[in-house]
Amino acid sequence: MTANIDGTDPRTVIPEKVGLSCDWSPDGKTILSERESSLILIHPPSEKIMQVPIATGGRAGRGAFSPDGSHIIFSLNLAKQEDI
């Protein structure tokens, strides 16, 4: 959800549940979040969601954009589910 800084005008960005970690892109057009151990990019006006491909596999989370928006940083857990 989004809201004004004073808490007024709360709005749902997308109807789906996502992880607790969210970050606005520096240009304000995209939100980086997580769903089912994958990073996703959300375009709020269209509600379109794109999964961020992670070449090494694993469970990704806690993503954030670099200041210029050209990179993202995130946590990656490569342990197999049965090892946890």
Side-chain angles (χ1 to χ4, degrees):
M1 295 190 75
T2 62
N4 293 331
I5 202 144
D6 64 0
T8 60
D9 194 24
R11 289 171 279 166
T12 300
V13 175
I14 59 170
E16 300 178 40
K17 290 184 179 182
V18 297
L20 296 175
S21 174
C22 295
D23 189 39
W24 282 103
S25 61
D27 65 8
K29 296 180 180 179
T30 308
I31 299 170
L32 176 65
S33 189
E34 57 195 67
R35 178 178 64 186
E36 299 171 4
S37 299
S38 296
L39 296 176
I40 58 172
L41 293 170
I42 304 165
H43 185 255
S46 67
E47 296 185 1
K48 287 186 180 180
I49 298 173
M50 182 185 91
Q51 186 168 342
V52 177
I54 307 295
T56 60
R59 294 187 317 277
R62 300 177 49 121
F65 284 98
S66 64
D68 67 358
S70 64
H71 292 81
I72 56 173
I73 188 170
F74 58 94
S75 297
L76 184 65
N77 185 339
L78 296 174
K80 295 178 182 173
Q81 187 65 30
E82 60 268 15
D83 293 341
I84 299 176

